[in-house]
Amino acid sequence: MHPHLTIHRHPMCAEIIEQFQKCHTDHPFGKFFGECTDLKLKLDKCFRQEKAVKRKANFEESKKLKERLRAYRKGSSEMREEEISA
């Protein structure tokens, strides 16, 4: 199974999606007998690559967010210590 084949959600795989959809329209019965299997395998590989890129970007974003949160917590704990000692 593959995710919905919408080009706007998968810009990296747009060309392969179009080819795969064209294959399905050109071969309405052949698609059941492996006519479009090669394109399906290319599409699966492209989706895996796309997911890896997104996963890496999300991981980098989460590292930045965690660092900002640590800095905020450190700053607020220092402010509390100053209030207590004052």
Side-chain angles (χ1 to χ4, degrees):
M1 292 289 299
H2 50 73
H4 292 289
L5 298 179
T6 54
I7 295 173
H8 69 277
R9 292 188 65 203
H10 305 285
M12 289 177 56
C13 306
E15 184 178 324
I16 300 171
I17 289 172
E18 289 173 353
Q19 291 173 358
F20 185 67
Q21 289 175 337
K22 185 178 183 318
C23 182
H24 272 221
T25 56
D26 292 348
H27 308 285
F29 295 107
K31 66 183 177 184
F32 297 115
F33 300 106
E35 188 73 31
C36 305
T37 302
D38 292 337
L39 287 172
K40 170 74 168 95
L41 295 175
K42 285 182 185 178
L43 192 61
D44 289 343
K45 185 176 179 180
C46 185
F47 284 152
R48 283 193 297 271
Q49 291 173 346
E50 184 180 56
K51 189 172 183 178
V53 168
K54 287 181 180 181
R55 187 181 317 120
K56 185 176 180 179
N58 288 340
F59 180 70
E60 293 299 323
E61 186 67 29
S62 72
K63 283 179 20 180
K64 291 177 186 176
L65 184 62
K66 285 180 185 178
E67 190 60 40
R68 282 184 28 211
L69 185 60
R70 280 192 198 114
Y72 176 77
R73 287 180 179 167
K74 184 178 179 182
S76 57
S77 69
E78 289 174 357
M79 286 177 52
R80 280 190 227 137
E81 289 175 6
E82 289 175 5
E83 289 175 359
I84 293 173
S85 63

